[in-house]
Amino acid sequence: MARAATTSDVFNAIAEPQRREILTLLRDGERAATEVARELGFTQPGASKHLRVLREVGLVRDRRAGKQRLYSLDAHGLRPIHEWTGGFEQFWNESFERLDAYVQDLKHTREKE
């Protein structure tokens, strides 16, 4: 089965670790492409390429500020990721509940000894 183009699917776009780094950086606020490149140790063209992909899939938005283009997270674009990962919340909650019950059983057994 052919893989979807990076720019057509949010999940393919975030499969690239450097793009995830950019998203993490943008959580703290708007940044220019040059600032993204400098802070993450990317080349300017590399940062711009990744930002373009993230913009095309709707994970970031940009605006002009003089000669600079500023990038920020687009919460609407993050929705599919949030919904997908949220589906695992019940799994993790149940796993932690089982672990907690196991630990409580161990404590209770040790107290009896």
Side-chain angles (χ1 to χ4, degrees):
M1 177 195 255
R3 192 169 170 208
T6 301
T7 57
S8 68
D9 178 71
V10 170
F11 294 96
N12 280 327
I14 65 168
E16 167 60 51
Q18 291 177 319
R19 293 191 192 114
R20 292 192 307 269
E21 287 182 59
I22 291 171
L23 293 174
T24 300
L25 179 66
L26 293 178
R27 279 191 312 207
D28 295 332
E30 196 172 58
R31 299 274 199 295
T34 54
E35 191 177 348
V36 169
R38 185 180 67 249
E39 289 191 35
L40 297 177
F42 299 168
T43 63
Q44 173 64 42
S48 294
K49 180 188 105 181
H50 289 307
L51 286 162
R52 179 184 51 78
V53 169
L54 292 169
R55 188 185 73 235
E56 287 177 5
V57 298
L59 292 172
V60 301
R61 60 181 174 268
D62 66 328
R63 71 178 180 87
R64 288 295 229 184
K67 293 182 179 183
Q68 287 189 323
R69 183 170 288 195
L70 300 175
Y71 293 86
S72 59
L73 287 178
D74 187 340
H76 180 74
L78 293 168
R79 187 178 238 8
I81 297 166
H82 175 72
E83 289 173 353
W84 185 77
T85 57
F88 292 94
E89 185 175 359
Q90 182 178 355
F91 168 78
W92 284 110
N93 286 338
E94 290 171 359
S95 296
F96 288 131
E97 287 170 8
R98 285 191 309 273
L99 179 60
D100 186 51
Y102 177 72
V103 169
Q104 294 305 319
D105 285 345
L106 282 177
K107 283 182 181 179
H108 185 67
T109 302
R110 286 188 177 165
E111 288 172 359
K112 285 183 174 181
E113 293 175 351

